[in-house]
Amino acid sequence: QVQLVESGGGLVQAGGSLRLSCAASGRIFSIDTMGWYRQAPGKQREAVARITTGGSTNYEDSVKGRFTISRDNAKDTVYLQMNSLKPEDTAVYYCNLHRVGSFEYGRDYWGKGTLVTVSS
């Protein structure tokens, strides 16, 4: 069982910055991948950024160069530094853990989400 708790969302002006944090608890394996997804009203949930335990990262095209994902394996915590925010970044951001290190291989765990609102 895995629990994910996001924090750091809020209201920010376009061009501003925000840092999201996700603390994971429960049975966590070092090889499990973690990441951030977001869902805007009327849209499907989309991957924003993902990171492996080895530090490999993957970003959605629209956030490349603006967002940075990082991971502290010792703390089972993942971060998303968001810079140069745009109104289209407005969404509920969800923390994700993708199982690799157990018989639950392939299963996704989700946090409850944190709202990011970017005003123009």
Side-chain angles (χ1 to χ4, degrees), residues 54-75:
S56 297
T57 58
N58 202 324
Y59 295 94
E60 196 271 330
D61 288 341
S62 68
V63 308
K64 288 180 179 177
R66 300 189 297 120
F67 291 9
T68 302
I69 188 170
S70 60
R71 181 173 183 170
D72 186 336
N73 290 326
K75 297 180 179 179

Side-chain angles (χ1 to χ4, degrees), residues 22 33-37 49-51 69 78 94-98:
C22 173
T33 63
M34 297 184 72
W36 291 93
Y37 290 66
R50 301 191 70 183
I51 187 168
I69 188 170
V78 65
Y94 297 90
C95 182
N96 166 265
L97 182 146
H98 185 73

Side-chain angles (χ1 to χ4, degrees), residues 82-111:
M82 304 184 292
N83 299 325
S84 301
L85 283 162
K86 303 175 180 179
E88 53 261 43
D89 295 318
T90 296
V92 177
Y93 284 71
Y94 297 90
C95 182
N96 166 265
L97 182 146
H98 185 73
R99 275 293 199 210
V100 177
S102 80
F103 59 87
E104 293 184 332
Y105 180 85
R107 178 174 179 174
D108 287 295
Y109 289 87
W110 300 94

Side-chain angles (χ1 to χ4, degrees), residues 38-40 42-46:
R38 67 186 180 188
Q39 187 168 23
K43 288 189 172 183
Q44 296 275 62
R45 187 175 298 185
E46 65 176 358

